[in-house]
Amino acid sequence: MADLTIHDETNAPEAARPLLEKVKAAYGFIPSVLGIMAESPPTLEAYQSLQGHFAKAGFTPLEAQVVQITTSVENECHYCVAAHSAVADAGKLDMDVINAVRDNRPIADPKLEALHAFTRSVVRGRGFVCDAQVGAFLNAGYSRAAVLGVILGVAMKTISNYVNHVAETPLNPQFKAYAWSPRKQGDFAA
């Protein structure tokens, strides 16, 4: 574990303070991962910028969470799975879908399952996906732009997943009810 500080809006490097102030004003608290990213203001700013761009990628709120949680499950990020599960529940999204993604089980809705499977393929293949995987995604009703949107979501989420791996980021109290831990190798569905 790296000895990284969880900053807040009062002790972060100067350039990160206004970014953390906006987060706190929006959510009422600062997620620990953002407090850690604040050590490097360009990292925090880049991550928040990618979040904003991903929000404009054309996915519904539930689809966006499928991409983000699938990426976090594949990258075994305890923090992001819990945080995004809390966000999904607070947003009154379908928790049956969220729990399927958390457990890496198939989603009953075929279009969402295609998104889940394609995202998982992008992460597992480190971007190397075959024509059949892209074709299945497109045939489920997604656009070519959505292919790139998934890549954007995976890239954005991988930043926070890796920060959490290095920092062993503790869960904020707001996320503890959604705690998640990776399953042992072989426990995940194909």
Side-chain angles (χ1 to χ4, degrees):
M1 171 175 116
D3 187 21
L4 297 174
T5 301
I6 301 173
H7 293 284
D8 63 26
E9 73 282 9
T10 66
N11 68 357
E14 192 64 39
R17 289 180 186 184
L19 301 172
L20 292 180
E21 287 170 357
K22 287 180 185 175
V23 168
K24 189 170 184 179
Y27 300 111
F29 70 102
I30 297 170
S32 298
V33 66
L34 300 181
I36 290 167
M37 285 184 195
E39 183 72 28
S40 168
T43 301
L44 177 59
E45 184 176 15
Y47 181 74
Q48 289 179 319
S49 178
L50 287 175
Q51 282 182 311
H53 292 297
F54 182 63
K56 296 184 278 188
F59 296 111
T60 68
L62 182 57
E63 288 171 329
Q65 291 304 330
V66 168
V67 171
Q68 294 176 99
I69 296 171
T70 299
T71 302
S72 299
V73 166
E74 288 300 315
N75 285 330
E76 298 184 354
C77 183
H78 80 285
Y79 186 92
C80 288
V81 173
H84 284 282
S85 298
V87 168
D89 199 13
K92 302 197 183 313
L93 300 181
D94 186 339
M95 291 306 288
D96 288 338
V97 170
I98 299 304
N99 287 325
V101 175
R102 285 171 56 101
D103 296 340
N104 211 0
R105 293 182 285 111
I107 300 169
D109 179 285
K111 187 173 182 185
L112 289 174
E113 177 53 27
L115 178 61
H116 182 218
F118 183 69
T119 304
R120 188 172 51 233
S121 295
V122 169
V123 176
R124 286 182 182 176
R126 295 185 325 262
F128 292 100
V129 293
C130 67
D131 290 345
Q133 291 166 318
V134 174
F137 184 64
L138 296 173
N139 288 336
Y142 288 100
S143 67
R144 285 175 166 57
V147 170
L148 299 173
V150 168
I151 294 168
L152 173 61
V154 168
M156 181 254 313
K157 202 64 332 232
T158 299
I159 292 170
S160 60
N161 293 167
Y162 286 10
V163 167
N164 291 321
H165 292 335
V166 170
E168 295 181 16
T169 310
L171 287 180
N172 295 83
Q174 296 86 343
F175 305 146
K176 287 195 177 187
Y178 303 91
W180 177 89
S181 60
R183 295 176 188 241
K184 293 183 178 101
Q185 191 71 14
D187 285 350
F188 288 114

